[in-house]
Structure formats: C-alpha cells, structure tokens
Amino acid sequence: METNQVFLYCLAVAAERAGIELHAFVVMSNHWHAVLTDPEARLPQFLQLLHRLVASCMNAFLGRTENFWSAEHASIIALESAEDVLDKIAYVITNPTAAGLVRSPEEWPGAITTKLGQRHVATMPEVYFRRHGARLPERARIDCTVPPVLRELDAETIDRRLRVLVARNVRQARSKVRASRRTFLGADGARTMSPWQRAATPEPLRRRRPAVAVSDPHDRKAALTRLRAFRSMYRIALSRWRSGDRAARFPEGTYMMRVFHGACCDPAS
C-alpha cells in the first residue's frame, strides 16, 4: 500500500503542476501505463517531475541508491480517434490480466483505474518529503476525466463500449493463460513479490516504437503525414536557429526549444 500511495501522490502533484488531464492509468510492478491529455504541451515536464519524485521517494523507502527507472525513453503514442482512445483505455485497465497476474482488473492490488471518471486521493508519503518544508499539499487528489474525443458521446454509450472492450481483453488473456497451462499469480502473489526481483524473460531488442496508434487505415495515413510534416518543419526551424536566426518559428507541439531557449512556436490550432 505504501507504493500505491507514493505513486498516486506523485502522480497527482505532477499532473497538477503540468496541467495534465488523466483519464486512466495502471501501475505495474516495474512500469506504468496511462491515457492522458496534454492541453498545454507540457508532457516532458510532467514525466520528468513524476519520475523524479517517484524515484527519490521509492529509493528512500527501500533504502537504495541505484537508478530507479530504466534509461530507455518513455513510450509516448498519440491516439487519433474515439475508438483508438477507448481501445487504449481498455488496454490500460486489463494490463494486469493480460500479463497473467490477476484474473480480473479489479483484483489488481496496485494503483489502477477500472472505469472512467474515478477519483483517487493520496496523502503525502512519510519518507523523502518534508511536511513543513516544500510547498506541497498534505493530500493530493486525482480526478480522472473523460477524454475530450469522447465527450460528444453520452456516458451510457461510453461505459457500454468500454465494458465490451474490457470483457474482450479479459477473455483473450484468460484463454492465453489456459493455453499455456499456467495459472494467474493472484493478488496475494503479486503483493509478496520482492522489489529486488528481476524479470526472468529478457526484453526483445530493436522493437518498433510507434508514435501513433490508429485503427482506421485512412486516419493512420493522415496521422503519419502530419507527423512527417511536423518533423520536417522542426528540422527546418532548427537549422535556421543554429544559423543565428532567432525569429525561426517552430511548429506547434515543440517543447525543448520553446521552454529552454525561448523560441517562437506556432499557436495551438
């Protein structure tokens, strides 16, 4: 439970400071997933603050000093349509079941949202934070919101479509476990796992790292066209900046040049 409180508190603080809207999330044993909206283009700030706070707090809690997170870049994928967003929310909810850990998402002992609109409240952890030093709240709240792309649908329709997707993922995960002649670890087994234990199966090397997740082929083509256009405009602006042109205008969504170097950027569309 201490780990849950640490992550929830740090997540709430980081989201509030970076203006992030959280819709769904799950904290696994060595990674986490979320579906969120970044209306102010401050996602790097959010991730940096969240990961720093969690690492510092958990290292203090466990009495360790090593790197807490992998050095690999975070996987960030843009979701284009309502169907893509619902599919990824269902993926987040059912991740512990798909991993063969618990039969149902509700059994997962880690921090998790199992439906839209959930609220989480966390108190400041006893370790790392100074209660009367830093200007941080004693209690922090996460109000998960409905993603903007789904707000044109009524709540009943959203809930029904999400339940169908979650049920599908759970059926597939249970079928996979049965086919492999394994059993689910269970909540008690997950709670008793050592934080020093490492995964027995190595991560595959040279995996593809998608930047967008789009189910419709036409929408996928359009999304990739926009991504290539952004990268092309960014390279052109960066080349002009390096040549001394401080009036070079970077495309919407640029973070580092805007925040750390004061570069001009296109306004949000």
Side-chain angles (χ1 to χ4, degrees):
M1 294 302 293
E2 291 85 355
T3 301
N4 287 347
Q5 287 298 305
V6 165
F7 196 94
L8 288 173
Y9 182 84
C10 296
L11 181 64
V13 169
E16 192 277 331
R17 289 198 171 184
I20 295 295
E21 286 189 46
L22 292 163
H23 310 305
F25 61 86
V26 60
V27 182
M28 303 294 286
S29 58
N30 62 357
H31 65 283
W32 66 286
H33 299 281
V35 176
L36 54 84
T37 297
D38 178 24
E40 301 176 16
R42 296 165 65 190
L43 184 61
Q45 176 190 349
F46 164 71
L47 293 175
Q48 187 274 337
L49 179 58
L50 170 62
H51 291 165
R52 178 174 65 82
L53 290 177
V54 171
S56 298
C57 202
M58 288 305 300
N59 275 345
F61 177 69
L62 295 172
R64 64 191 299 279
T65 57
E66 299 293 332
N67 291 345
F68 187 81
W69 299 103
S70 167
E72 187 175 354
H73 292 299
S75 175
I76 300 170
I77 302 174
L79 306 176
E80 295 293 319
S81 68
E83 289 73 20
D84 300 320
V85 170
L86 279 170
D87 186 70
K88 281 298 180 287
I89 291 175
Y91 170 84
V92 167
I93 292 173
T94 57
N95 205 252
T97 302
L101 298 173
V102 289
R103 283 184 55 83
S104 300
E106 292 79 8
E107 299 176 20
W108 181 240
I112 186 173
T113 52
T114 55
K115 59 182 179 180
L116 288 175
Q118 285 188 324
R119 173 182 293 178
H120 295 263
V121 178
T123 58
M124 181 184 288
E126 296 290 338
V127 296
Y128 180 67
F129 295 102
R130 291 187 302 166
R131 294 188 176 276
H132 303 292
R135 291 179 295 175
L136 292 172
E138 287 285 334
R139 294 166 64 85
R141 192 176 75 186
I142 299 172
D143 292 313
C144 290
T145 61
V146 174
V149 73
L150 298 178
R151 290 172 189 169
E152 294 182 357
L153 303 174
D154 63 89
E156 184 178 347
T157 299
I158 297 172
D159 289 340
R160 183 177 65 252
R161 290 170 64 177
L162 184 57
R163 285 197 303 270
V164 169
L165 292 172
V166 168
R168 178 204 64 184
N169 290 0
V170 169
R171 285 196 305 270
Q172 291 175 349
R174 291 175 179 176
S175 177
K176 184 178 179 180
V177 168
R178 285 196 302 270
S180 64
R181 297 185 178 182
R182 295 183 292 114
T183 59
F184 287 98
L185 178 65
D188 290 339
R191 290 190 187 96
T192 57
M193 289 183 66
S194 169
W196 311 103
Q197 187 175 345
R198 298 177 64 88
T201 54
E203 285 284 333
L205 299 176
R206 299 181 180 86
R207 294 180 302 168
R208 296 183 65 183
R209 297 177 63 87
V212 297
V214 191
S215 54
D216 182 87
H218 181 269
D219 290 343
R220 176 176 175 78
K221 183 178 180 180
L224 291 175
T225 297
R226 290 194 299 272
L227 179 61
R228 285 192 289 267
F230 170 86
R231 290 172 174 172
S232 176
M233 289 187 291
Y234 184 91
R235 285 193 295 268
I236 293 171
L238 184 61
S239 177
R240 290 177 55 189
W241 181 277
R242 286 173 171 170
S243 68
D245 181 5
R246 293 299 181 261
R249 200 170 193 86
F250 286 80
E252 175 193 353
T254 297
Y255 180 80
M256 187 179 73
M257 294 301 298
R258 169 173 59 88
V259 173
F260 294 103
H261 301 286
C264 297
C265 293
D266 290 334
S269 56

